[in-house]
Amino acid sequence: MSERTVVGLQPWLPWPLCRLPWWTDSVPAERLAALRIGLAAVLLVDILGCYLPYLGVFLGPGSLGEAGIFADRGWTGRLRWSVFHWADSAAWTHGLFVLWALSGCGLLLGWFSRSSALVAWALSLSVFHINPFLVNSGDNARNTLLFYLMLCPCGAAWSLDAWWRRHGLGAGRVFVHPWPLRLLFVQLTVLYFFTGAWKLLSADWTQGKAMHYHMANLAWTRLPYEWLPGADLLGQAFDWITLVWELGFPVLVFLPITRKPTLWLGVFFHLGTLLFFRIGPFPLYMLCFYLPLLPWEGKVQEFTDPTASIESPTVKQVEVEG
Amino acid sequence: MKDGSPRWPQVLLGVFIVWQLFFIFALNYTQLMLGPADGPLLDKPDGAPPDAVDRAADLVRNVTQRWANLTGQYQSWWLFAVTPHDSTFPHVELRWQEPGRAPVHLDALQEPVDTASYFRLPGGSDRLFHYEMNVEITYRPYDEQFMKTPQRYLQRAQERWPAVLAYLKWRLGQWQAEHPEAPPPSEVVLFSRSYTTPPPGAAWERTAPVNRDVFRWRPGAVPAAGFAPLEVYDPRRKGFVPLALGDSHE
């Protein structure tokens, strides 16, 4: 008999959620761990690759993000808080920045995972609010993912926390309640649908012209329109495919026959925007939403012990609050 | 739950999950119906004033937006919905009053030298690009829309002038660090250089870019009470005019 440990607080769910296995059946903790590790890696790339080279330009006294620049006209207040409001010296700014990077490292290693997620979320949101001109929708995705990670047992597997915990619990598979992954999947579905809905308000999108203008924009693109063969036809095709995929995502992803192609199209879509458009780590943050969808637990077992048999259907469940 | 009676933390978590489901749908839907959050509640397309349903939706929008502000879960997913027909870059010009001293032009940091051949690696310059995009497209006085609704564009100038001023100070500071012997300029002007994209199907030929003044900063000047340290270009008057700090501007 194999032991199965479920980590985390089991939510009380009202009807009909409590009747849906999608909301109630626990999932392998490796899925949540993959999200944590992937997001931490992208966060560190963002912090060290995008912010660090311009630290004095973007943040702190005398910078483009000095406290007070966005204080008027509603950029602050209305609960748009930031710890950088109190960073009145370069030393404080640098200290907070180092703490931000360390929180990313803690999240990556799974060392005090939820606390690391909390610090990473607080500082990511603080940077977002103190200088909102630097951000795009990818930062919305980042902050949302970090928000969920700090509220769930994201260190239940593949982490230093899990390694320490195993000494007390013994061997066995670790599972988590699915609610954070389900909410993130709902967020992803709604995100894509409304992104498409906003595009429907634009005549350029409905007439198949939008991608032409985006791909030909000298400021937004990484490479020139002249380098793209058949750009006009390509642009029209991308227009229609994008609209159908985004607006149809809620249905396409839930139908078994279209689920995998739909998700793979999303992966290619984000890789394409990473290659073509100057939107920073936006595509990488979006790809983090896809990480929990992969069967990491099976792949790891296949890699570590290919001869292992299928888990016995008789399991003992031990619930531990993480 | 093993004994059938949930404990209050479990109930709290369940309530949070239900709230999150409502929040995700509600903020996205109300923004699509009424416009981005923090914007005003406008009249209906037929000119009728908002009714009770609109006001209720506006309340939902405001409440859910405050939750987004607090938690960072902004639901602004319209990045590529707006298609820019122009490629625009911010340029800065330093001007002196003393005769014989020519203006100094500071090129846009990210404008390609050859518009048909360039490549940009991902990195921090992407975020700087976002800042510049917000600084210089905030006020485009030459669109037809401006002439119909100038207040909207001028209001954006009123909202964003501190960031524009910070950007001008930064560009000036960089130049002065390289030219410590030069006297401080009497005027620092932000102007935009725009390349219009040919429409799809038309002959592919980029016309020459067009320069347009946007803001003017006089470093040594003290603005009048109630006015910003920056002046804004008003095409109706074909010149720079003081930018009021209040809600109205004329």
Side-chain angles (χ1 to χ4, degrees):
Chain A
M1 183 166 60
S2 64
E3 195 166 280
R4 172 178 167 140
T5 303
V6 182
V7 179
L9 182 67
Q10 183 179 12
W12 168 86
L13 292 172
W15 185 89
L17 299 181
C18 60
R19 295 288 185 217
L20 300 173
W22 197 65
W23 282 99
T24 58
D25 287 356
S26 55
V27 298
E30 287 86 353
R31 306 243 180 162
L32 191 53
L35 171 62
R36 187 196 87 239
I37 293 168
L39 178 61
V42 177
L43 180 64
L44 285 170
V45 166
D46 195 3
I47 292 172
L48 301 176
C50 295
Y51 281 96
L52 182 59
Y54 289 86
L55 179 56
V57 177
F58 290 163
L59 299 171
S63 74
L64 299 177
E66 184 175 29
I69 287 177
F70 297 97
D72 200 7
R73 310 302 298 189
W75 288 106
T76 57
R78 301 182 187 174
L79 304 180
R80 290 190 178 105
W81 55 274
S82 174
V83 298
F84 285 92
H85 284 305
W86 298 287
D88 55 1
S89 68
W92 268 112
T93 301
H94 294 163
L96 288 173
F97 188 84
V98 170
L99 185 61
W100 192 26
L102 288 176
S103 69
C105 293
L107 206 57
L108 184 69
L109 299 173
W111 183 63
F112 290 99
S113 304
R114 290 171 80 167
S115 301
S116 294
L118 171 65
V119 174
W121 168 79
L123 289 171
S124 295
L125 196 51
S126 292
V127 170
F128 185 103
H129 283 157
I130 202 68
N131 194 340
F133 276 13
L134 298 176
V135 306
N136 60 32
S137 301
D139 301 292
N140 298 342
R142 176 193 68 199
N143 299 337
T144 298
L145 289 164
L146 288 170
F147 177 69
Y148 281 105
L149 283 185
M150 75 178 187
L151 296 176
C152 67
C154 59
W158 294 350
S159 64
L160 293 176
D161 296 341
W163 182 75
W164 285 324
R165 190 183 298 121
R166 291 293 171 107
H167 293 296
L169 295 177
R173 299 280 307 279
V174 178
F175 288 72
V176 293
H177 297 290
W179 66 267
L181 302 182
R182 303 307 182 228
L183 283 175
L184 282 172
F185 193 77
V186 169
Q187 171 71 86
L188 181 71
T189 303
V190 169
L191 182 165
Y192 284 142
F193 176 78
F194 278 92
T195 296
W198 280 104
K199 292 183 173 73
L200 281 183
L201 301 179
S202 163
D204 285 334
W205 276 100
T206 55
Q207 294 171 9
K209 299 177 184 176
M211 286 305 294
H212 164 85
Y213 285 113
H214 282 299
M215 292 194 298
N217 191 281
L218 295 170
W220 276 99
T221 52
R222 297 200 187 282
L223 41 91
Y225 193 72
E226 287 82 350
W227 289 7
L228 304 174
D232 262 359
L233 279 177
L234 211 61
Q236 264 197 333
F238 282 155
D239 262 22
W240 300 120
I241 291 171
T242 300
L243 279 177
V244 170
W245 177 73
E246 287 179 343
L247 291 168
F249 190 89
V251 174
L252 296 172
V253 79
F254 279 100
L255 292 176
I257 196 170
T258 54
R259 181 176 304 143
K260 279 190 178 176
T262 299
L263 293 172
W264 274 113
L265 192 56
V267 171
F268 288 126
F269 169 77
H270 290 301
L271 291 176
T273 57
L274 178 68
L275 176 65
F276 284 112
F277 297 112
R278 306 186 66 197
I279 48 179
F282 183 175
L284 298 178
Y285 284 124
M286 288 305 301
L287 288 173
C288 290
F289 279 91
Y290 290 71
L291 291 172
L293 304 177
L294 296 170
W296 297 98
E297 65 285 0
K299 295 298 178 192
V300 169
Q301 184 171 4
E302 189 179 306
F303 178 74
T304 57
D305 188 1
T307 63
S309 60
I310 297 171
E311 181 178 330
S312 165
T314 307
V315 298
K316 175 184 172 185
Q317 200 154 327
V318 175
E319 185 162 324
V320 175
E321 290 190 21
Chain B
M1 271 127 294
K2 288 194 283 192
D3 60 0
S5 305
R7 291 170 286 122
W8 72 264
Q10 293 174 295
V11 175
L12 202 60
L13 180 55
V15 170
F16 167 78
I17 291 168
V18 173
W19 161 253
Q20 282 290 115
L21 288 171
F22 170 78
F23 158 76
I24 291 170
F25 282 100
L27 183 53
N28 277 285
Y29 181 76
T30 53
Q31 286 189 120
L32 188 65
M33 293 299 108
L34 302 178
D38 292 331
L41 181 59
L42 302 173
D43 290 341
K44 293 177 186 295
D46 59 6
D51 56 21
V53 173
D54 295 325
R55 286 192 293 273
D58 187 44
L59 177 63
V60 169
R61 183 179 63 161
N62 288 335
V63 169
T64 50
Q65 179 61 28
R66 297 298 171 269
W67 178 244
N69 293 350
L70 186 64
T71 60
Q73 301 177 82
Y74 290 94
Q75 304 293 315
S76 47
W77 309 115
W78 49 76
L79 179 60
F80 284 102
V82 177
T83 49
H85 288 206
D86 294 340
S87 307
T88 310
F89 300 91
H91 286 247
V92 177
E93 188 166 272
L94 311 180
R95 300 172 182 171
W96 287 263
Q97 282 182 338
E98 51 187 273
R101 193 169 190 97
V104 170
H105 181 102
L106 305 182
D107 286 332
L109 297 171
Q110 312 204 46
E111 182 178 351
V113 174
D114 182 353
T115 59
S117 181
Y118 59 89
F119 183 70
R120 299 169 172 131
L121 286 170
S125 63
D126 286 355
R127 291 204 178 270
L128 181 61
F129 155 65
H130 284 313
Y131 196 100
E132 291 186 322
M133 179 189 68
N134 278 291
V135 160
E136 55 85 15
I137 68 168
T138 194
Y139 185 67
R140 303 187 64 191
Y142 302 92
D143 292 342
E144 290 180 4
Q145 285 300 320
F146 169 80
M147 293 304 180
K148 293 177 188 174
T149 55
Q151 282 305 112
R152 185 165 70 91
Y153 289 87
L154 295 171
Q155 185 178 6
R156 294 185 77 183
Q158 289 172 328
E159 290 172 355
R160 300 186 181 214
W161 71 260
V164 175
L165 181 59
Y167 180 77
L168 292 176
K169 286 182 176 178
W170 175 59
R171 294 297 309 271
L172 174 62
Q174 282 188 313
W175 183 83
Q176 288 179 320
E178 295 171 3
H179 303 86
E181 75 291 350
S186 53
E187 292 182 357
V188 180
V189 175
L190 177 75
F191 66 92
S192 67
R193 176 170 294 170
S194 298
Y195 299 78
T196 299
T197 301
W204 181 253
E205 183 184 351
R206 288 194 191 272
T207 54
V210 176
N211 295 341
R212 299 176 176 124
D213 286 341
V214 186
F215 286 102
R216 180 172 68 183
W217 171 44
R218 290 173 168 160
V222 176
F227 288 88
L230 296 180
E231 298 167 299
V232 64
Y233 189 86
D234 189 337
R236 297 171 297 178
R237 301 173 186 181
K238 293 186 169 43
F240 289 104
V241 298
L243 181 62
L245 291 174
D247 288 335
S248 63
H249 187 279
E250 184 49 40

